[in-house]
């Protein structure tokens, strides 16, 4: 009887171990898409490169990814955060550094040291680093471990995007990574990689009938190579 108990225990242990191993292997499985980005899961792709622009269509079950990527092309479909990065680096950094009394000799070197964490509609609870005059949003960002709120004005196109999508911002050593989830269940979501020099851009769109949580899981599983 004791032997049977030991046998059942070992059988159950091996079974649970096999399930765990499959789960781990499945979680680590990623598909390399044309050397541009990788995505969790097993995807089948049709890729092409024409006039320096890489593009393709990838499918996994009932989900479809459409992407384009190129170097030295004009930025299209900017995320609000990337628009802010460009505006900050070229214009607004001086005004910000004036407000925090940052050394003028170091300003150019530290223009790229901000990271956008959120974008808010203006309200009385958010105190900006200077008054918000006719601004569209308050951009929340970190700089040298401190958090700041800076008034910002979007173009009509970007304001429409802000009203259409929920954005999640990530950052890698070489890229700004913007994930946008459509607020409408029927809308298309996706993500965008933009190099630190704004010279390499990849746009990815996801067609899926899955829940917003499942769509977010797929898009968070995409990383630039």
């Amino acid at each position: 009887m004791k032997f049977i108990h030991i046998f059942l225990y070992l059988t159950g242990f091996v079974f649970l171990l096999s399930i765990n191993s499959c789960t781990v292997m499945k979680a680590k499985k990623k598909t390399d898409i044309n050397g541009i980005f990788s995505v969790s899961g097993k995807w089948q792709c049709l890729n092409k490169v024409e006039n320096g622009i890489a593009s393709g269509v990838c499918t996994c079950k009932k989900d479809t990814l459409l992407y384009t990527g190129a170097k030295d092309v004009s930025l299209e479909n900017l995320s609000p955060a990337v628009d802010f990065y460009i505006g900050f680096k070229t214009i607004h950094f001086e005004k910000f550094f004036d407000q925090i009394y940052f050394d003028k000799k170091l300003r150019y070197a530290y223009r790229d040291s901000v990271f956008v964490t959120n974008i808010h509609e203006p309200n009385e609870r958010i105190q900006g680093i200077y008054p918000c005059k006719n601004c569209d949003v308050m951009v929340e960002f970190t700089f040298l471990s401190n958090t700041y709120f800076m008034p910002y004005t979007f173009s009509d196109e970007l304001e429409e995007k802000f009203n259409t999508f929920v954005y999640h911002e990530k950052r890698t050593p070489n890229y700004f990574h913007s994930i946008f989830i459509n607020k409408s269940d029927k809308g298309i979501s996706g993500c965008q990689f933009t190099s630190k020099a704004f010279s390499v851009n990849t746009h990815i769109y996801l067609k899926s009938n899955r829940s917003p949580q499942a769509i977010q899981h797929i898009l968070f599983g995409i990383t630039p190579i």
Side-chain angles (χ1 to χ4, degrees), residues 26-49:
K26 186 176 181 181
K28 289 184 176 180
K29 176 66 177 177
K30 296 181 78 74
T31 303
D32 182 335
I33 310 298
N34 210 6
I36 299 175
F37 64 94
S38 63
V39 54
S40 298
K42 189 174 182 179
W43 294 74
Q44 301 294 326
C45 298
L46 294 175
N47 306 308
K48 69 175 183 178
V49 178

Side-chain angles (χ1 to χ4, degrees), residues 10-210:
L10 291 175
T11 303
F13 177 76
V14 172
F15 175 71
L16 291 174
L17 183 62
S18 66
I19 292 177
N20 185 61
S21 298
C22 290
T23 303
V24 172
M25 288 300 293
K26 186 176 181 181
K28 289 184 176 180
K29 176 66 177 177
K30 296 181 78 74
T31 303
D32 182 335
I33 310 298
N34 210 6
I36 299 175
F37 64 94
S38 63
V39 54
S40 298
K42 189 174 182 179
W43 294 74
Q44 301 294 326
C45 298
L46 294 175
N47 306 308
K48 69 175 183 178
V49 178
E50 187 175 345
N51 297 325
I53 299 175
S55 62
V57 178
C58 303
T59 57
C60 180
K61 297 181 180 179
K62 295 183 179 180
D63 302 319
T64 302
L65 286 175
L66 302 94
Y67 75 90
T68 58
K71 297 180 180 179
D72 301 321
V73 296
S74 60
L75 290 170
E76 297 178 357
N77 301 316
L78 284 178
S79 74
V82 172
D83 183 80
F84 174 77
Y85 285 128
I86 295 173
F88 184 89
K89 185 174 181 177
T90 56
I91 302 173
H92 303 295
F93 74 97
E94 287 283 14
K95 192 171 184 179
F96 169 66
F97 287 143
D98 282 343
Q99 295 296 317
I100 65 172
Y101 303 103
F102 195 70
D103 191 334
K104 290 187 176 182
K105 296 179 181 178
L106 301 175
R107 293 185 178 186
Y108 274 87
Y110 279 84
R111 290 180 303 164
D112 295 329
S113 299
V114 300
F115 175 62
V116 173
T117 55
N118 211 336
I119 298 176
H120 308 270
E121 293 183 2
N123 63 72
E124 296 178 354
R125 294 173 297 173
I126 297 177
Q127 184 65 42
I129 56 174
Y130 48 79
C132 177
K133 296 181 180 179
N134 300 319
C135 64
D136 296 323
V137 296
M138 280 286 193
V139 179
E140 180 180 356
F141 62 90
T142 58
F143 176 71
L144 299 182
S145 301
N146 293 314
T147 299
Y148 300 93
F149 295 88
M150 187 170 181
Y152 199 70
T153 301
F154 287 147
S155 65
D156 291 340
E157 180 184 1
L158 281 170
E159 187 173 3
E160 182 179 353
K161 288 183 178 181
F162 180 70
N163 293 330
T164 303
F165 300 103
V166 175
Y167 283 90
H168 303 271
E169 301 298 334
K170 300 169 66 177
R171 192 168 183 173
T172 69
N174 298 314
Y175 287 92
F176 300 114
H177 184 177
S178 301
I179 298 168
F180 48 95
I181 309 295
N182 204 301
K183 296 178 181 179
S184 168
D185 293 339
K186 297 181 180 179
I188 294 178
S189 300
C191 61
Q192 176 190 76
F193 306 133
T194 304
S195 67
K196 295 296 180 63
F198 310 113
S199 59
V200 180
N201 309 287
T202 301
H203 306 283
I204 303 167
Y205 300 94
L206 173 64
K207 290 184 177 181
S208 176
N209 292 323
R210 297 178 183 270

